[in-house]
Amino acid sequence: MRRAVPPGITLAVLALSVCGYSLAATQLLPALPHLQVAFDASPGAVAWVFTAYLLVSAPATPLAGRLGDMYGRRPVLVAVLTLFLIASVGSALAHNLPELIAWRALQGLGGAVVPLAFGVVADVMPEKRVSLGLAMLGAMLAIGGSVGLLLGGFLVQHAPVSVIFWTSAGFGLVGVAGSLLTVPRATERAPGRLDVSGAAMLAVGLVAPLIGVSFAPRWGWGDPRTLALIVAGLVVLPLWWRLQSRRPAPLVDTTLLASRPIAATILATMVMGFGLFGAFSLVPQLAQAPESVGGLGFTALGAGVLMLPTATVNAAMAPLVGLVSRAHGSKPPLLAGALIAAAGLAWLSARHESPAEIAIGCGVLGIGFAASLAAAPNIIVGWAPRDRTGAALAANTLAQNLGSSVGSQVGVSIVASRIGADGLIPAGYTWAFAVAAGMAVVGAGLAALVLEPPVQVEEATLLT
């Protein structure tokens, strides 16, 4: 008989898998200028290497969450990680830009790892340690994103760009092998049918406005193509929501999302994702911009170093958030994290003319985002029915991906639109960071509406 694997080992495998997905999302950012030269392509065309990853990742999360509830999270997790591994190898071997974009789109399916991993933790961890495990995975998302910028900058300067994709393949291989060895088979499943048409409709509703936002800096926000794509999303998504509410086995349980604590948490996650990836995309650009236009003139590696405070505090905050959640509930870190993140972004808006100022802002920002994004899954798990945990967590990850995609593109657009007549760029970053700070304040307001789940009260009692 196969011996049971300690939950801590399973958690470590899941943490590495989540980190690998997050790394793949950001470590390519410093390499985009190099890909532009290598493929003799325009900046807009090369940007699709990054955008395609997020576009596919967004609708993949609720689809995989539903599959995990229906067929067990272990086989779906292994399948997703296998596709991520194959796509990483394909990206490393791509001969032209269209091939690379296609492989990166497939690699974006790795986003489904996040809700599946959260669901596995809720299944296998002892009840009183679930909050700590979920906080650890939430923090690994932020840590991977921060370290990805640094690692990407280092690899770009010292190795071929393909090494970035081989790194992702390594994480995928470890994830596949580790999941097969450590993740137990599900004992409970939620029977039902997969809503393929709902997934397709959701993809159209998300992809259309994201394409519009991604091309807005090139076309212009008032261009008919930009407006048409955004309006298409605004029309399709409400229609999709209405149809989902009428289906017996929907892709996303809209009645579940109508719950005030879950809805407020998911919306808070979305606006926090806006600020997080807004900062991730803005800081490297500001750092690598020439000093003649108001930038710091850093190398790609130097730009990544500026994000180190974010990664450092994320690592330190993970266990702390779990302990606070167990003792006092997850609402305090969710609310405090949003306010701290807003303070960090406000600092960056006012003070971003020296490396020290940017490093301080990134450190404060890291504390806030680590606290809020690590606490959110605890609230989701606490309020969602056991057999719908995967779907609810998938909706939370979907919201973060959507906010991240929009935040990164809006930030870049604001910077481009606020360049002064003398060609200087600092004013654009002032406005972009200010908008991100405002979104974090909105996140704090949403966090204030959250109610503590009853499961966390029980966990706190277990500690007394």
Side-chain angles (χ1 to χ4, degrees):
M1 179 180 294
R2 180 178 174 181
R3 297 179 60 184
V5 177
I9 301 297
T10 303
L11 177 62
V13 170
L14 296 173
L16 284 174
S17 300
V18 168
C19 185
Y21 158 73
S22 188
L23 275 171
T26 60
Q27 66 177 338
L28 195 64
L29 288 174
L32 292 182
H34 297 264
L35 292 175
Q36 182 180 344
V37 174
F39 293 122
D40 190 24
S42 67
V46 171
W48 271 99
V49 176
F50 176 70
T51 303
Y53 186 85
L54 292 178
L55 286 177
V56 174
S57 180
T61 51
L63 184 63
R66 179 61 176 152
L67 284 170
D69 287 336
M70 291 173 56
Y71 302 110
R73 296 186 178 93
R74 182 177 183 264
V76 180
L77 179 64
V78 171
V80 167
L81 287 169
T82 300
L83 289 174
F84 179 81
L85 168 60
I86 294 172
S88 299
V89 174
S91 298
L93 300 176
H95 295 93
N96 53 58
L97 187 58
E99 282 185 21
L100 179 57
I101 292 174
W103 283 116
R104 279 285 289 178
L106 181 62
Q107 193 185 37
L109 292 174
V113 166
V114 180
L116 292 169
F118 282 140
V120 171
V121 167
D123 289 340
V124 305
M125 295 290 288
E127 186 177 9
K128 64 180 181 180
R129 301 179 74 80
V130 167
S131 60
L132 181 60
L134 293 175
M136 185 68 70
L137 292 187
M140 288 304 294
L141 275 174
I143 292 172
S146 302
V147 175
L149 292 168
L150 176 63
L151 179 61
F154 175 82
L155 293 176
V156 165
Q157 289 190 209
H158 296 91
V161 175
S162 61
V163 176
I164 291 177
F165 303 115
W166 289 117
T167 302
S168 298
F171 275 93
L173 181 61
V174 171
V176 171
S179 297
L180 288 171
L181 293 173
T182 69
V183 176
R185 298 182 183 276
T187 57
E188 297 181 6
R189 299 182 182 182
R193 293 182 300 175
L194 188 63
D195 185 9
V196 178
S197 62
M201 193 172 182
L202 174 61
V204 172
L206 292 175
V207 169
L210 286 178
I211 292 175
V213 170
S214 66
F215 276 95
R218 178 181 174 184
W219 294 342
W221 286 97
D223 187 273
R225 292 169 293 182
T226 303
L227 295 176
L229 287 166
I230 294 176
V231 169
L234 295 176
V235 171
V236 171
L237 287 176
L239 180 59
W240 168 82
W241 181 274
R242 184 177 181 182
L243 292 175
Q244 287 287 291
S245 65
R246 297 180 176 181
R247 294 188 175 179
L251 178 67
V252 176
D253 190 341
T254 55
T255 59
L256 180 63
L257 297 180
S259 165
R260 169 182 156 181
I262 294 179
T265 303
I266 288 175
L267 289 174
T269 299
M270 182 172 67
V271 297
M272 294 299 286
F274 182 103
L276 177 63
F277 265 76
F280 276 1
S281 62
L282 292 174
V283 170
Q285 291 184 29
L286 176 60
Q288 294 184 69
E291 294 183 45
S292 60
V293 297
L296 301 182
F298 277 23
T299 62
L301 177 58
V305 170
L306 283 180
M307 300 297 291
L308 265 181
T310 305
T312 303
V313 298
N314 278 333
M317 287 295 294
L320 179 60
V321 170
L323 292 173
V324 171
S325 296
R326 287 167 57 189
H328 304 289
S330 294
K331 180 176 179 177
L334 180 69
L335 177 57
L339 293 173
I340 293 171
L345 288 165
W347 170 276
L348 287 171
S349 176
R351 308 291 295 272
H352 52 258
E353 296 181 356
S354 72
E357 290 175 343
I358 294 177
I360 291 172
C362 287
V364 175
L365 186 64
I367 294 173
F369 278 118
S372 59
L373 296 182
N378 288 325
I379 298 172
I380 298 293
V381 170
W383 282 107
R386 187 77 172 181
D387 62 347
R388 298 297 291 159
T389 298
L393 289 170
N396 190 61
T397 305
L398 166 65
Q400 182 180 336
N401 286 340
L402 179 60
S404 300
S405 303
V406 176
S408 60
Q409 296 295 340
V410 169
V412 171
S413 179
I414 292 174
V415 170
S417 65
R418 301 293 299 186
I419 296 177
D422 53 6
L424 297 180
I425 61 174
Y429 287 94
T430 297
W431 280 95
F433 284 124
V435 169
M439 293 298 287
V441 171
V442 172
L446 292 166
L449 300 176
V450 172
L451 301 175
E452 287 289 356
V455 68
Q456 290 187 333
V457 176
E458 297 171 6
E459 290 174 8
T461 303
L462 290 173
L463 296 176
T464 60

PDB file of all heavy atoms in Angstrom, residues 38 44 68 121 139 157 200 204 244 317 365:
ATOM      1  N   ALA A  38      15.689  40.468 -32.597  1.00  0.00           N
ATOM      2  CA  ALA A  38      15.933  39.130 -33.127  1.00  0.00           C
ATOM      3  C   ALA A  38      14.968  38.774 -34.251  1.00  0.00           C
ATOM      4  O   ALA A  38      15.359  38.140 -35.236  1.00  0.00           O
ATOM      5  CB  ALA A  38      15.838  38.100 -32.003  1.00  0.00           C
ATOM      6  N   GLY A  44       4.676  46.544 -31.057  1.00  0.00           N
ATOM      7  CA  GLY A  44       3.322  46.033 -30.873  1.00  0.00           C
ATOM      8  C   GLY A  44       3.225  44.543 -31.153  1.00  0.00           C
ATOM      9  O   GLY A  44       2.529  43.813 -30.449  1.00  0.00           O
ATOM     10  N   GLY A  68     -11.497  20.311 -12.454  1.00  0.00           N
ATOM     11  CA  GLY A  68     -10.972  19.756 -11.215  1.00  0.00           C
ATOM     12  C   GLY A  68     -12.066  19.312 -10.276  1.00  0.00           C
ATOM     13  O   GLY A  68     -11.947  18.272  -9.608  1.00  0.00           O
ATOM     14  N   VAL A 121      -4.671  22.237  -1.755  1.00  0.00           N
ATOM     15  CA  VAL A 121      -4.298  22.603  -0.383  1.00  0.00           C
ATOM     16  C   VAL A 121      -5.507  22.509   0.533  1.00  0.00           C
ATOM     17  O   VAL A 121      -5.429  21.984   1.652  1.00  0.00           O
ATOM     18  CB  VAL A 121      -3.707  24.026  -0.347  1.00  0.00           C
ATOM     19  CG1 VAL A 121      -3.618  24.550   1.093  1.00  0.00           C
ATOM     20  CG2 VAL A 121      -2.322  24.034  -0.973  1.00  0.00           C
ATOM     21  N   ALA A 139       1.420  34.001  -1.736  1.00  0.00           N
ATOM     22  CA  ALA A 139       2.667  34.754  -1.724  1.00  0.00           C
ATOM     23  C   ALA A 139       3.610  34.292  -2.830  1.00  0.00           C
ATOM     24  O   ALA A 139       4.354  35.095  -3.402  1.00  0.00           O
ATOM     25  CB  ALA A 139       3.356  34.605  -0.368  1.00  0.00           C
ATOM     26  N   GLN A 157      21.068  39.251 -20.144  1.00  0.00           N
ATOM     27  CA  GLN A 157      22.423  39.806 -20.251  1.00  0.00           C
ATOM     28  C   GLN A 157      23.501  38.746 -20.360  1.00  0.00           C
ATOM     29  O   GLN A 157      24.605  39.030 -20.844  1.00  0.00           O
ATOM     30  CB  GLN A 157      22.710  40.695 -19.035  1.00  0.00           C
ATOM     31  CG  GLN A 157      21.929  41.998 -19.050  1.00  0.00           C
ATOM     32  CD  GLN A 157      22.400  42.960 -17.972  1.00  0.00           C
ATOM     33  OE1 GLN A 157      21.638  43.760 -17.480  1.00  0.00           O
ATOM     34  NE2 GLN A 157      23.671  42.893 -17.600  1.00  0.00           N
ATOM     35  N   ALA A 200     -16.193  29.216 -24.254  1.00  0.00           N
ATOM     36  CA  ALA A 200     -15.894  29.949 -25.492  1.00  0.00           C
ATOM     37  C   ALA A 200     -16.429  31.371 -25.428  1.00  0.00           C
ATOM     38  O   ALA A 200     -15.757  32.326 -25.845  1.00  0.00           O
ATOM     39  CB  ALA A 200     -16.485  29.206 -26.682  1.00  0.00           C
ATOM     40  N   VAL A 204     -14.282  34.961 -25.526  1.00  0.00           N
ATOM     41  CA  VAL A 204     -14.530  36.088 -26.429  1.00  0.00           C
ATOM     42  C   VAL A 204     -14.735  37.376 -25.627  1.00  0.00           C
ATOM     43  O   VAL A 204     -14.175  38.433 -25.958  1.00  0.00           O
ATOM     44  CB  VAL A 204     -15.760  35.811 -27.314  1.00  0.00           C
ATOM     45  CG1 VAL A 204     -16.143  37.061 -28.114  1.00  0.00           C
ATOM     46  CG2 VAL A 204     -15.470  34.659 -28.259  1.00  0.00           C
ATOM     47  N   GLN A 244     -25.164  32.081 -17.957  1.00  0.00           N
ATOM     48  CA  GLN A 244     -24.620  31.191 -16.937  1.00  0.00           C
ATOM     49  C   GLN A 244     -25.606  30.983 -15.788  1.00  0.00           C
ATOM     50  O   GLN A 244     -25.716  29.889 -15.232  1.00  0.00           O
ATOM     51  CB  GLN A 244     -23.311  31.780 -16.389  1.00  0.00           C
ATOM     52  CG  GLN A 244     -22.141  31.690 -17.344  1.00  0.00           C
ATOM     53  CD  GLN A 244     -21.611  30.279 -17.475  1.00  0.00           C
ATOM     54  OE1 GLN A 244     -21.035  29.712 -16.562  1.00  0.00           O
ATOM     55  NE2 GLN A 244     -21.816  29.685 -18.650  1.00  0.00           N
ATOM     56  N   MET A 317       6.375  37.705   4.298  1.00  0.00           N
ATOM     57  CA  MET A 317       4.978  37.915   4.661  1.00  0.00           C
ATOM     58  C   MET A 317       4.152  36.630   4.591  1.00  0.00           C
ATOM     59  O   MET A 317       3.132  36.510   5.274  1.00  0.00           O
ATOM     60  CB  MET A 317       4.347  38.959   3.737  1.00  0.00           C
ATOM     61  CG  MET A 317       4.788  40.390   3.992  1.00  0.00           C
ATOM     62  SD  MET A 317       4.274  40.979   5.607  1.00  0.00           S
ATOM     63  CE  MET A 317       2.489  40.984   5.396  1.00  0.00           C
ATOM     64  N   LEU A 365       5.126  48.296  -1.373  1.00  0.00           N
ATOM     65  CA  LEU A 365       4.163  47.679  -2.287  1.00  0.00           C
ATOM     66  C   LEU A 365       4.123  46.167  -2.101  1.00  0.00           C
ATOM     67  O   LEU A 365       3.056  45.553  -2.066  1.00  0.00           O
ATOM     68  CB  LEU A 365       4.557  48.021  -3.725  1.00  0.00           C
ATOM     69  CG  LEU A 365       3.632  47.605  -4.863  1.00  0.00           C
ATOM     70  CD1 LEU A 365       2.306  48.320  -4.758  1.00  0.00           C
ATOM     71  CD2 LEU A 365       4.302  47.895  -6.197  1.00  0.00           C
TER      72      LEU A 365
END
